[in-house]
Amino acid sequence: MKSITIKGSERESVGKKATKALRNAGKVPCVVYGGEKPLHFSADELAFRNLVYTPNAHTVKVDLGEGKLRAIMQDIQFHPVTDQIMHIDFYQLFDDKEVTMNIPVKLEGNSPGVRNGGRLLFRKRKLAIKALPDKLPDFFNVDLSKLKIGDNITVESLLNDDFTILHPDNTVVVQVKTARAAVAVDDEDEEGEGEEGAAAEGAEAPAAEGGEN
């Protein structure tokens, strides 16, 4: 998994006045849990841009000058009006200790079911997994090229020995449902139309059974 380096400075004071002063100076107060004790630090708000404002998952290298540590973002708080980053919680990573993280799902390919009028439903845009830090994937890649009307792709097809997916195997990640204008296409039609298929061009397609659920 890709890593982003955040350069910051350890905080000597964690009181409300000190925290407010940091925010007024354009810095974000942060804390790292998971080690021997919580570590408080701050960094420029711009330093978090590629970590926060992206659908991708990243680990973080916190650089405090005298030492570096690896972590993942656990929680973030925004100002309810201005959307300014108010505070970020991190969790420290250790090579021999599994961690839980949400990993994005990316779709690739074109679904034949969608081409024939089906409706694509993206049910799980992120999946929670548990893994050692070096085994964390950047994303789950889901191929839609064989997904016909009525088909779905579940967590079971994404299982891997490198990590544990924290969802039931039958959890639907993406599916193609029947739409009113959908055209039923069988395997032979997908391979190529015969004479009967060519003669039928321009004819009104029969309505698909079952409407939207």
Side-chain angles (χ1 to χ4, degrees), residues 60-73:
V60 177
K61 288 183 180 178
V62 180
D63 183 354
L64 301 179
E66 295 182 358
K68 296 181 181 179
L69 58 86
R70 287 200 302 166
I72 58 171
M73 186 171 67

Side-chain angles (χ1 to χ4, degrees), residues 40-71:
H40 297 269
F41 74 97
S42 65
D44 292 336
E45 186 172 5
L46 290 176
F48 299 99
R49 180 169 47 191
N50 294 330
L51 175 66
V52 175
Y53 304 107
T54 174
N56 300 325
H58 298 283
T59 58
V60 177
K61 288 183 180 178
V62 180
D63 183 354
L64 301 179
E66 295 182 358
K68 296 181 181 179
L69 58 86
R70 287 200 302 166

